[in-house]
Amino acid sequence: MPSWSQIQTQLRHPANPVVFFDVSVGTTEIGRMIFELFADVVPKTSENFRQFCTGEFRKDSVPLGFKGAGFHRVIKDFMIQGGDFVNGDGTGVMSIYGGGTFPDENFALKHDGPGLLSMANSGKDTNGCQFFITCAKLRYLCKKSIEFSNVDEYLVENGFYKDVIKTINDNSVIKKLKTNPCVVCLGLLQQESLHQIIQSDKLHKAKQYDSNVFTCSISMPASVLLREHSMQIYLKNKFPSIYKENAEIPLNRVWKVFVKNTLGKYLEKEFENSDTCDFFINVTMDYEQDVEELDCLKKMQPKMYQDRAIQRRKYSGELFSRKGVITALSGTGSEVFVKNYPVPPEIPLSYLYTKYSRELSQSPWVIDGVKTMETSVQEIIFDAVNKVLGISEENLKFSSSGREDCDVRCLGKGRPFYIEVLDPRRTRIGFKEFRGIENEINKSELIGVLHMQIID
């Protein structure tokens, strides 16, 4: 770790502020990033970043900033993006200047090497809290974002890579940095979810009530019951000698313990675990794939759901009520459940691929019978499927959204695609096999794939 006198000798301007990030992968601390903010060139942008580092910026007396936030986007040999402490996924916006975006100051500095800190924005005058750190020279980004700092990286402990950026660039670490939602609670018991609740305007209004105490509850999507049941079956099969039936604490009770102290501090009220508390806060969680995921219950309990579909008025027009799901699961044996729902549960995302090369087509390019490129996205994926599952390429059909994209990279969250298996001999593909396919694909370093699964 450099001393302050050593840092001072490297400053662009002696009056420029210096801040730092302590970076962790999971629970392992991997190093410290030290930033000189170029306030002599872009003072307003630098001050915005500085206050989010120090916690000086507050909303309703609660410090807001980068502490505890993650890098939500990491692209090998390109850049590391973070700073979205609002939503955690690259969609959040916040600044110290009225809460929204603020204008570009100038483009005097360029992205002319690795280790440069710059604002990430969505166009002209849309700067907020998000930033990125370059991993290479990015000439084509000049005049598109405000670059305002150099980064000096130093490790806190020995035994890791030479610098933090190279550590994050390593493939094994990229996967650890991404915060995926829990397969059971869908992220309810993760810090990102709690942070979103604190940021809610409705919760802010709750502070205005003069009650000294509060209690809380959560309305969860009914599909969480499926996921809890799936995990119970998995644990019972995995640890038959120690697993105890009905020993789990319900997720809604765990959530209450998880949030009560933070909510109480924010609301400036004492938590009261009582059904008769005068001040009650209910949090509703929405889940886009809820009905789609619950549809498997029709196969587990066909007669029950046929009756419910016919008698909708009796069930208030709701096909998959929470009570109904509990009833359906209680009458479904483990063997039937496993045939119709993954055990353990998975995150239900469509296939997405990211492409890192500008010299890679989506499908094979053959002109006059001659293959013009060494490989393609389709071939890389088909090779992996064949290697893990033994399915011939002749029996695979590849479809993807968008145009043939040989001359561009496909970054961000990725491009949706699916593979149709013709005349399938296998219809059951396990969790480990899907992860094996993904690992084979990602070895290529030309494309990346996550969350493969069977879709209807």
Side-chain angles (χ1 to χ4, degrees):
M1 185 72 63
S3 65
W4 174 239
S5 60
Q6 290 175 317
I7 293 174
Q8 283 180 307
T9 62
Q10 301 178 43
L11 295 182
R12 170 191 172 94
H13 190 284
N16 281 345
V18 176
V19 294
F20 65 87
F21 286 167
D22 285 330
V23 183
S24 298
V25 176
T27 58
T28 303
E29 296 180 359
I30 64 169
R32 171 169 289 185
M33 292 182 175
I34 301 175
F35 304 82
E36 176 193 354
L37 306 183
F38 291 165
D40 58 321
V41 181
V42 278
K44 190 171 182 178
T45 309
S46 296
E47 181 61 16
N48 182 72
F49 192 89
R50 189 191 70 80
Q51 290 199 29
F52 284 148
C53 287
T54 63
E56 291 175 51
F57 179 72
R58 294 170 179 256
K59 182 178 179 181
D60 301 318
S61 301
V62 178
L64 297 178
F66 299 137
K67 185 175 181 180
F71 294 109
H72 62 267
R73 189 181 185 204
V74 179
I75 303 172
K76 183 177 174 63
D77 298 327
F78 180 60
M79 63 88 179
I80 306 161
Q81 186 171 339
D84 183 3
F85 55 82
V86 181
N87 296 330
D89 60 2
T91 63
V93 177
M94 179 71 70
S95 79
I96 66 172
Y97 306 113
T101 60
F102 63 96
D104 303 326
E105 283 190 89
N106 61 63
F107 299 102
L109 301 169
K110 311 302 179 186
H111 305 84
D112 55 4
L116 297 171
L117 178 65
S118 182
M119 294 304 294
N121 55 42
S122 57
K124 183 179 179 181
D125 298 333
T126 58
N127 300 291
C129 54
Q130 294 190 49
F131 63 87
F132 65 91
I133 302 170
T134 64
C135 299
K137 187 175 182 178
L138 307 177
R139 290 174 295 178
Y140 48 87
L141 284 184
C142 291
K143 297 188 179 182
K144 292 186 179 180
S145 297
I146 303 174
E147 178 190 325
F148 61 99
S149 172
N150 263 315
V151 182
D152 291 315
E153 308 86 17
Y154 298 89
L155 287 181
V156 176
E157 298 181 13
N158 297 321
F160 293 98
Y161 295 88
K162 291 183 179 180
D163 58 68
V164 176
I165 288 181
K166 288 181 181 177
T167 305
I168 297 175
N169 251 332
D170 183 77
N171 282 340
S172 63
V173 181
I174 288 175
K175 295 172 186 175
K176 293 179 183 178
L177 281 173
K178 179 177 175 62
T179 304
N180 289 321
C182 167
V183 295
V184 179
C185 75
L186 294 173
L188 276 175
L189 303 181
Q190 292 172 265
Q191 287 296 327
E192 292 88 344
S193 175
L194 179 55
H195 197 77
Q196 288 178 18
I197 295 171
I198 295 295
Q199 294 291 326
S200 169
D201 290 336
K202 291 183 178 179
L203 190 66
H204 173 62
K205 293 177 181 177
K207 295 183 69 173
Q208 302 170 7
Y209 291 82
D210 61 0
S211 175
N212 294 322
V213 296
F214 78 101
T215 191
C216 60
S217 69
I218 184 165
S219 298
M220 298 180 295
S223 56
V224 170
L225 296 170
L226 270 180
R227 292 173 170 273
E228 284 185 301
H229 193 74
S230 173
M231 185 56 73
Q232 289 168 7
I233 293 175
Y234 174 75
L235 292 174
K236 183 178 180 180
N237 294 336
K238 186 78 173 178
F239 308 104
S241 61
I242 61 174
Y243 180 80
K244 295 181 180 180
E245 294 279 0
N246 302 317
E248 305 86 1
I249 301 174
L251 185 58
N252 56 349
R253 288 174 56 190
V254 176
W255 177 86
K256 188 179 293 189
V257 173
F258 173 66
V259 304
K260 65 178 185 179
N261 290 336
T262 302
L263 287 184
K265 184 177 180 180
Y266 177 79
L267 295 170
E268 299 177 351
K269 305 178 191 299
E270 292 291 327
F271 175 77
E272 182 178 289
N273 191 19
S274 169
D275 294 333
T276 59
C277 180
D278 292 333
F279 188 55
F280 176 78
I281 297 173
N282 183 66
V283 175
T284 301
M285 176 191 176
D286 293 323
Y287 177 45
E288 290 182 1
Q289 285 85 27
D290 193 45
V291 175
E292 179 183 341
E293 191 164 322
L294 291 166
D295 205 55
C296 65
L297 291 171
K298 294 178 183 178
K299 298 177 181 178
M300 300 182 200
Q301 296 290 339
K303 187 177 185 308
M304 172 182 171
Y305 282 97
Q306 285 172 5
D307 293 342
R308 290 181 73 93
I310 295 170
Q311 305 175 52
R312 279 185 177 270
R313 182 176 296 180
K314 178 180 178 181
Y315 300 103
S316 303
E318 190 176 3
L319 187 61
F320 296 113
S321 66
R322 193 172 179 83
K323 184 178 179 180
V325 172
I326 293 173
T327 301
L329 291 175
S330 65
T332 301
S334 297
E335 291 184 4
V336 175
F337 185 90
V338 170
K339 289 179 180 178
N340 294 284
Y341 193 82
V343 175
E346 298 179 355
I347 297 298
L349 299 177
S350 301
Y351 300 178
L352 297 170
Y353 77 79
T354 50
K355 185 167 77 74
Y356 311 128
S357 171
R358 288 190 173 86
E359 298 178 354
L360 185 70
S361 60
Q362 192 177 89
S363 56
W365 281 18
V366 179
I367 300 176
D368 295 330
V370 179
K371 189 176 178 182
T372 60
M373 293 190 176
E374 183 177 348
T375 188
S376 65
V377 172
Q378 174 182 308
E379 290 170 290
I380 294 172
I381 294 173
F382 281 8
D383 286 346
V385 172
N386 176 265
K387 186 172 183 179
V388 176
L389 301 180
I391 301 175
S392 172
E393 293 184 14
E394 288 76 20
N395 289 344
L396 299 175
K397 181 180 177 181
F398 178 87
S399 296
S400 177
S401 65
R403 65 179 180 87
E404 281 284 357
D405 54 357
C406 175
D407 59 337
V408 298
R409 292 179 177 180
C410 179
L411 306 176
K413 293 184 178 179
R415 172 171 290 177
F417 75 95
Y418 71 88
I419 302 169
E420 182 180 352
V421 182
L422 308 176
D423 188 25
R425 304 298 175 89
R426 295 183 57 184
T427 58
R428 300 180 187 176
I429 302 173
F431 177 85
K432 290 184 178 179
E433 290 174 305
F434 276 127
R435 304 298 79 78
I437 296 171
E438 292 167 5
N439 290 336
E440 287 296 323
I441 292 170
N442 296 337
K443 284 179 184 178
S444 72
E445 298 188 351
L446 295 173
I447 66 172
V449 170
L450 291 172
H451 309 305
M452 294 187 74
Q453 63 175 312
I454 291 177
I455 58 174
D456 293 328

